[in-house]
Amino acid sequence: MNSPTPLDQLPQTNIFRKGDVFVLFGELFGRGYANGLVNEARKAGMEIVGITVGRRDENNALRPLNDEELAVAEANLGGRIINVPLMAGFDLDAPPGGPTPTEMLGKLTLKSWMDDTLDWAHIEQCREVGIKRFKAAVAEVMARLDDMIADGRNVFFAHTMAGGIPKAKVFLAIANRIYKGRGERFMSSQVLLDSDLGKLILQNFDEVSANSFQHLIEGSAAIRARIEKSGGQVRYSAYGYHGTEILIDGRYQWQTYTNYTQGYAKMRLERIAQAAWAEGIKATVYNCPEIRTNSSDIFVGVELPLIALLRALKKENGGAWADEQWQACGALLQDGISLESLLQRIEDFNESEVMRGFRDFDAWPMPNSQALADLMIGASDEIVHMHKDRKALITDLLSTLVLEATGPLMFHESSAPGGPVLWLNHNIIARQLNQIHG
Ligand SMILES: NC(=O)c1ccc[n+]([C@@H]2O[C@H](COP(=O)([O-])OP(=O)(O)OC[C@H]3O[C@@H](n4cnc5c(N)ncnc54)[C@H](O)[C@@H]3O)[C@@H](O)[C@H]2O)c1
């Protein structure tokens, strides 16, 4: 990808109708991006099918959901869940009798981890065990799904999996410093990537956030062939991240959260969609804006670009509804603090020398720096303090709006997709919102 390829028209097509099948490949969480797509599928009258990543028992063995967990998950999704554990990654896999990568990390200490080495031959065996387990589970899921889809139906596979941070005590402390540390607590993300610990984590991110999409596409080949032969169509979508164009100084400019350690996996995800596309498979990665979800809350400052959406809402011909969003956001600030002053604070932040230095698309994902951490985490903290209640933030409200807009954008674009990798920038998000509410 040498430049971002934006989605620049509101997509109008919809091939999906009652009786077609929507498959969510990942679990659905309250604030998660996938809600946008699930809402569209529901509106279209599609049958909704979900999966589970499974749960760990007291010995860390992967198990399906129990009856109670399954009932809760199905009620939450509004559809049936195929109860075969689809946990991606290999952090808790190992050949019989051997240690798992998470156990191997147990010997690392906060003093020694930068120089500690790992047994890569053994890690490769664990990776192979994890991949074999995941592919076998995908095959079982697809066999069950096959019985649930009649000939001639259209099928939408929505991939939402991302993650892979191993549950090792030492890493939790390091992550806290890399993503939340400033001043003396700052830690360079490059130091992590240069360590064996970092290299292991990147491999696990690849499995969870990228290769799982490949396994989905390959594992559903037989369903795809049957559906297409019987007159139906099959689509694949995945959520990417590769920076977003937002309004800075009155024009849309590409910017990014740094350091997005998962960026290498997200670029791999893009390549997987491109390779599938080259074979005639309609798979699209939608690079989505920064929002606050269960998964992104660890990255302090990731929410800052979101605030500029308020300006985009107005620029894209926002009417009374856009004004209402401004008022609702303004009402969340402390008395005496205006929305304009907050927007100016964000503008100054984006215009700073430090932030300009990170607007380098070709160098993405760049490592963080002390100056960046101090500025970004400081700004994030300051902005939270401008609110009346730290549990009701402007970025919560705007996250909900972005999620709402991505639903119809991805759903309709995937009906007649323009390419394998598309950016959903603030302009198209704002236009979609103004159209829904106009
Ligand atoms: N939040 C953001 O700012 C943002 C921006 C752009 C793209 N995205 C992408 O959107 C997608 C959904 O993320 P979200 O932010 O809505 O958060 P979320 O927490 O709601 O979703 C994370 C998903 O990953 C799945 N998952 C986590 N670990 C897994 C594992 N080991 N194996 C299999 N599945 C696993 C979960 O089941 C869930 O479906 C992700 O691909 C994410 O990278 C998020």
Side-chain angles (χ1 to χ4, degrees), residues 231-300:
Q233 301 194 50
V234 179
R235 298 289 189 266
Y236 299 86
S237 73
Y239 294 90
Y241 179 69
H242 199 151
T244 311
E245 286 180 15
I246 67 166
L247 274 178
I248 301 172
D249 192 22
R251 63 191 172 93
Y252 290 103
Q253 299 188 48
W254 181 88
Q255 57 74 54
T256 177
Y257 168 79
T258 299
N259 167 263
Y260 187 61
T261 319
Q262 281 83 342
Y264 301 99
K266 287 298 190 193
M267 287 195 284
R268 178 183 283 262
L269 180 71
E270 292 174 357
R271 291 194 297 273
I272 289 170
Q274 286 162 333
W277 189 271
E279 287 178 24
I281 299 164
K282 295 271 183 280
T284 304
V285 168
Y286 294 90
N287 286 329
C288 289
E290 305 78 2
I291 63 168
R292 296 192 45 231
T293 65
N294 292 1
S295 295
S296 68
D297 269 354
I298 177 180
F299 307 116
V300 176

Side-chain angles (χ1 to χ4, degrees), residues 17-21 47 49 144-155 223-234:
R17 51 184 193 268
K18 198 170 162 36
D20 288 345
V21 181
E47 257 176 65
V49 180
R144 295 198 197 175
L145 187 61
D146 198 26
D147 293 336
M148 299 162 81
I149 310 175
D151 280 352
R153 298 298 189 190
N154 297 318
V155 186
I223 294 181
R224 190 167 64 243
R226 174 173 68 81
I227 290 299
E228 287 176 351
K229 211 170 137 196
S230 60
Q233 301 194 50
V234 179

Side-chain angles (χ1 to χ4, degrees), residues 152-336:
R153 298 298 189 190
N154 297 318
V155 186
F156 192 127
F157 287 102
H159 176 278
T160 172
M161 294 180 174
I165 292 182
K167 288 194 181 55
K169 233 175 161 181
V170 67
F171 185 67
L172 294 181
I174 296 167
N176 266 328
R177 293 191 53 181
I178 288 183
Y179 303 116
K180 298 181 183 168
R182 58 184 154 139
E184 282 184 0
R185 287 188 51 75
F186 165 76
M187 186 176 277
S188 156
S189 56
Q190 193 57 44
V191 172
L192 172 66
L193 297 195
D194 290 341
S195 70
D196 270 15
L197 168 66
K199 293 189 173 87
L200 169 64
I201 289 172
L202 289 191
Q203 278 196 4
N204 208 41
F205 286 164
D206 274 350
E207 287 309 322
V208 179
S209 305
N211 295 347
S212 56
F213 192 44
Q214 175 90 45
H215 299 315
L216 163 65
I217 293 171
E218 284 173 8
S220 54
I223 294 181
R224 190 167 64 243
R226 174 173 68 81
I227 290 299
E228 287 176 351
K229 211 170 137 196
S230 60
Q233 301 194 50
V234 179
R235 298 289 189 266
Y236 299 86
S237 73
Y239 294 90
Y241 179 69
H242 199 151
T244 311
E245 286 180 15
I246 67 166
L247 274 178
I248 301 172
D249 192 22
R251 63 191 172 93
Y252 290 103
Q253 299 188 48
W254 181 88
Q255 57 74 54
T256 177
Y257 168 79
T258 299
N259 167 263
Y260 187 61
T261 319
Q262 281 83 342
Y264 301 99
K266 287 298 190 193
M267 287 195 284
R268 178 183 283 262
L269 180 71
E270 292 174 357
R271 291 194 297 273
I272 289 170
Q274 286 162 333
W277 189 271
E279 287 178 24
I281 299 164
K282 295 271 183 280
T284 304
V285 168
Y286 294 90
N287 286 329
C288 289
E290 305 78 2
I291 63 168
R292 296 192 45 231
T293 65
N294 292 1
S295 295
S296 68
D297 269 354
I298 177 180
F299 307 116
V300 176
V302 73
E303 76 288 356
L304 294 174
L306 196 48
I307 296 171
L309 180 71
L310 280 166
R311 290 214 196 275
L313 287 177
K314 284 211 171 156
K315 189 178 169 79
E316 302 302 327
N317 297 320
W321 177 81
D323 290 341
E324 280 165 27
Q325 305 318 300
W326 276 63
Q327 277 155 22
C329 287
L332 298 174
L333 296 174
Q334 287 187 26
D335 295 341

Side-chain angles (χ1 to χ4, degrees), residues 14-23 37-49 78-79 153-157 233 411:
N14 178 21
I15 61 166
F16 299 102
R17 51 184 193 268
K18 198 170 162 36
D20 288 345
V21 181
F22 176 88
V23 184
L37 270 178
V38 171
N39 289 345
E40 292 307 307
R42 194 173 293 131
K43 271 195 248 164
M46 295 174 81
E47 257 176 65
I48 297 171
V49 180
R153 298 298 189 190
N154 297 318
V155 186
F156 192 127
F157 287 102
Q233 301 194 50
F411 195 71

